[in-house]
C-alpha cells in the first residue's frame, strides 16, 4: 500500500520492473517501466530523470532482480527504493496489474 499511496500522492516515484522483458510483458504494475537489471548501464539509463525516485521490483521474495537493480541504479546515481515482496505482494494486497495476463485486483483499477 505504501507504493500505491506514493503514486496517488506524489509523481516523483516511478515503478521500475527489473525483470526480463518477457516477465514484464506478461504482467506488471500499472505505469511501471521495464529495465532489466542485467541491462542497466550508464547508456541504458541516460534517458531517465535523476530527480525521480525509482522503486525497483521483481516477482517476489524468491527473486533477487529488484535488489540487483536497486544496487545498480544507486551506483549510477539514482534515488532508489525497493518494493519488498515484489509483484506477488502487490497482488496479494489486492492491487491490479497490467500485461498479457493481468490480475484485476480487488482494491482498484489503477488510475496511476
Amino acid at each position: 500500500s505504501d507504493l500505491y499511496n506514493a503514486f496517488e500522492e506524489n509523481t516523483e516515484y516511478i515503478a521500475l520492473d527489473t525483470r526480463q522483458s518477457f516477465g514484464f510483458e506478461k504482467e506488471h504494475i500499472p505505469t511501471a517501466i521495464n529495465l532489466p537489471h542485467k541491462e542497466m548501464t550508464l547508456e541504458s539509463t541516460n534517458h531517465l530523470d535523476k530527480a525521480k525516485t525509482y522503486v525497483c521490483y521483481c516477482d517476489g521474495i524468491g527473486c533477487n532482480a529488484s535488489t540487483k537493480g536497486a544496487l545498480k541504479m544507486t551506483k549510477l546515481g539514482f534515488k532508489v527504493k525497493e518494493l519488498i515482496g515484489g509483484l506477488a505482494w502487490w497482488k496479494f494486497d489486492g492491487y491490479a496489474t497490467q500485461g498479457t495476463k493481468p490480475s484485476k485486483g480487488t482494491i482498484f483499477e489503477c488510475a496511476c
Side-chain angles (χ1 to χ4, degrees):
S1 67
D2 291 344
L3 182 58
Y4 174 74
N5 290 337
F7 286 151
E8 288 287 297
E9 299 169 5
N10 190 333
T11 60
E12 298 304 309
Y13 289 92
I14 297 175
L16 180 60
D17 191 315
T18 58
R19 302 173 298 155
Q20 294 183 27
S21 60
F22 65 84
F24 178 81
E25 291 167 7
K26 179 180 172 187
E27 185 176 35
H28 59 270
I29 292 174
T31 73
I33 60 173
N34 181 227
L35 181 57
H37 71 89
K38 293 180 181 180
E39 299 174 15
M40 291 177 180
T41 64
L42 188 59
E43 294 78 23
S44 69
T45 60
N46 66 2
H47 67 286
L48 299 176
D49 184 352
K50 287 194 175 182
K52 306 282 184 179
T53 298
Y54 293 87
V55 182
C56 296
Y57 76 91
C58 57
D59 288 324
I61 196 88
C63 178
N64 64 4
S66 63
T67 302
K68 289 179 178 181
L71 177 60
K72 286 183 179 179
M73 290 293 284
T74 299
K75 287 181 176 181
L76 290 166
F78 291 91
K79 294 182 283 186
V80 179
K81 292 183 179 249
E82 185 177 3
L83 178 61
I84 302 302
L87 193 59
W89 279 92
W90 175 266
K91 294 188 305 184
F92 180 80
D93 284 344
Y95 298 108
T97 61
Q98 294 178 332
T100 59
K101 296 192 177 188
S103 172
K104 185 172 173 89
T106 58
I107 295 181
F108 72 98
E109 291 297 322
C110 187
C112 306

